[in-house]
Amino acid sequence: MLRIDIPAESAADPYGYAAREHGREIMAGAGIFSKAVYQHSILSLREFEGARSRIAQINGCIICQQFRAARDAPSMFAATGVRPDHLITDNGPAPDESFYAAVEEWRTSPLFSPRERTAIEFAERFAEEPKAIAADEDFWERAHALFSDAEIVDLAHSVAAWVGLGRVAHVLGFDSVCLPFHQAAE
């Protein structure tokens, strides 16, 4: 259910309507932030998608849960007619659907590498218990054994984008419209 008034002629694209009519500068900044995550991340595609998918589940964002970076990220940039020099899709093989189906069971699924599992754990705890993860020295010891500082900063900002923007879409009901994510985010 949409939580702001959207004219009937814009009902198929509530996010686009809001971006044109309300908080234009804020929504433009959010779009730039979101696209920067997909364009500049140094994480592997599987680490990225594991963390992103877990946030989509936690947020409840329907669009985000259906999004697949390998399939959908390139079209986020297609409107410009120029492919950026780098996209997350350049960072290794794409996960298959069994990977996405197992994300919620990241603790016990054999499908994840230690780095993927740690990225998913970070995302989940960032979203659900930020105070606890900030103080969890055991977690940080494990994370630093697997990730560089640059990768940790990348992961933290990617997760921040997904938590914030995915929750906006879900809370305002923008994800109730059956649009591909890239159309809703533009």
Side-chain angles (χ1 to χ4, degrees):
M1 171 178 279
L2 291 169
R3 298 301 182 186
I4 66 169
D5 290 331
I6 304 289
E9 63 272 11
S10 295
D13 185 13
Y15 208 99
Y17 173 81
R20 289 187 305 276
E21 301 297 326
H22 307 296
R24 288 187 294 272
E25 293 83 6
I26 294 170
M27 291 193 70
I32 291 167
F33 183 31
S34 176
K35 287 182 178 182
V37 166
Y38 291 88
Q39 189 173 351
H40 299 291
S41 181
I42 59 174
L43 299 170
S44 79
L45 181 56
R46 286 176 57 97
E47 294 157 1
F48 183 95
E49 281 293 88
R52 187 200 59 74
S53 182
R54 187 66 188 120
I55 293 301
Q57 293 167 348
I58 292 166
N59 282 349
C61 179
I62 298 163
I63 293 169
C64 303
Q65 290 177 56
Q66 296 172 354
F67 186 87
R68 300 293 183 261
R71 179 192 68 209
D72 300 324
S75 59
M76 290 172 62
F77 298 88
T80 66
V82 177
R83 185 191 189 278
D85 290 339
H86 181 265
L87 284 176
I88 187 60
T89 54
D90 298 331
N91 294 3
D96 60 17
E97 285 305 310
S98 64
F99 175 97
Y100 292 101
V103 165
E104 194 167 9
E105 304 301 324
W106 63 267
R107 287 174 185 83
T108 57
S109 174
L111 296 179
F112 304 109
S113 72
R115 282 178 56 104
E116 293 161 358
R117 192 177 314 283
T118 301
I120 298 167
E121 177 184 1
F122 177 86
E124 180 179 284
R125 294 182 69 194
F126 183 106
E128 294 182 340
E129 53 179 31
K131 291 179 184 178
I133 195 172
D136 185 342
E137 295 303 327
D138 290 336
F139 171 82
W140 289 107
E141 186 175 323
R142 287 186 291 112
H144 281 289
L146 296 170
F147 292 91
S148 69
D149 287 346
E151 291 168 324
I152 290 170
V153 169
D154 182 315
L155 179 61
H157 283 82
S158 295
V159 170
W162 302 322
V163 168
L165 300 175
R167 287 184 183 183
V168 167
H170 183 66
V171 169
L172 294 181
F174 295 168
D175 66 333
S176 64
V177 176
C178 294
L179 286 176
F181 175 86
H182 63 272
Q183 289 179 340
E186 292 177 2

